[in-house]
Amino acid sequence: MNENARASASNADAEVNVHKETYEWIQCVVVALICCVILFVFFARVIDVKGHSMEPTLLDGDKIIITRLAGDYERGDIVVLRKETFRTEPIVKRIIAVEGQTVDIDFTSGIVYVDGQAVDEPYVNELTYEPEDFESYERPVVVPEGCVFVMGDNRNNSTDSRRATIGCVDTRYIMGKAIFRILPLQKVGALYGWDY
């Protein structure tokens, strides 16, 4: 085989390798996109935080990932819920008590009590002084079966289970548990519940 034929064969092999590599890259990108679509359609969603009720934990405009696959809802979990009797768009709140637990609030001291014990709440913006409709409830409030009692971390600027239009929330209204913040970039990271 002469020099020209060898060069031509080598160029043909190089071209085939380039096409093969390009095809493999395209295949990887397509598989990754399909996986992302499946993940976000069936297992997780991206939600925009709107308003100031979860400050300082979450700020207006933050983007978070929620999932329904994070197990049972527990006290301290940040959840996204939709309750048509209150608002059509999703709202973000923290679970303060789950079914069977009792909730009471001393609005003079600002302390929340669950099952008669003061709750340590290092995540709140300030203590709970705003009663909303809570003072008209029969107290302590017993969280019904299949429900949770939720509050915003910005206690005196949050419409939550203290308000009669929300009350104890049926867990079927919960769209998912917040697990990760994706925006803003300087605050990207996992969102963990607090230990009690």
Side-chain angles (χ1 to χ4, degrees):
M1 186 182 282
N2 67 25
E3 209 49 47
N4 285 341
R6 269 197 217 112
S8 182
S10 178
N11 286 342
D13 286 345
E15 193 171 316
V16 167
N17 286 340
V18 167
H19 287 304
K20 184 177 177 184
E21 195 171 310
T22 302
Y23 175 75
E24 287 172 356
W25 271 105
I26 290 171
Q27 200 173 23
C28 286
V29 169
V30 168
V31 168
L33 286 173
I34 289 171
C35 288
C36 283
V37 168
I38 289 170
L39 174 70
F40 285 106
V41 168
F42 296 106
F43 303 111
R45 292 179 69 174
V46 175
I47 297 288
D48 289 330
V49 175
K50 293 183 179 172
H52 304 280
S53 73
M54 282 301 291
E55 291 177 358
T57 308
L58 296 169
L59 306 181
D60 184 43
D62 285 2
K63 288 189 184 298
I64 56 175
I65 294 176
I66 65 169
T67 181
R68 293 187 68 108
L69 302 177
D72 292 335
Y73 300 114
E74 299 176 359
R75 195 166 84 188
D77 287 346
I78 297 171
V79 294
V80 176
L81 59 103
R82 178 177 283 147
K83 193 164 184 183
E84 301 289 332
T85 57
F86 171 62
R87 192 180 290 159
T88 53
E89 67 265 15
I91 58 175
V92 183
K93 302 293 174 191
R94 185 182 298 273
I95 294 176
I96 301 304
V98 297
E99 65 177 60
Q101 293 186 308
T102 62
V103 180
D104 205 354
I105 304 170
D106 180 341
F107 294 103
T108 305
S109 65
I111 296 173
V112 176
Y113 294 88
V114 173
D115 293 334
Q117 300 292 314
V119 179
D120 179 28
E121 299 186 291
Y123 45 76
V124 296
N125 196 32
E126 56 189 356
L127 297 177
T128 310
Y129 299 115
E130 179 56 50
E132 299 278 340
D133 302 326
F134 196 79
E135 291 185 323
S136 64
Y137 290 4
E138 185 178 324
R139 292 163 56 191
V141 171
V142 179
V143 181
E145 184 178 347
C147 294
V148 292
F149 190 96
V150 297
M151 296 173 77
D153 289 355
N154 190 4
R155 289 296 163 75
N156 301 306
N157 189 20
S158 172
T159 302
D160 48 42
S161 289
R162 291 171 288 170
R163 175 80 56 95
T165 52
I166 295 181
C168 291
V169 178
D170 190 312
T171 55
R172 291 174 292 185
Y173 292 126
I174 297 177
M175 298 168 60
K177 175 180 172 178
I179 55 171
F180 201 84
R181 177 180 6 223
I182 57 174
L183 284 176
L185 292 176
Q186 65 269 26
K187 291 188 175 179
V188 168
L191 296 170
Y192 298 105
W194 296 87
D195 293 328
Y196 293 95

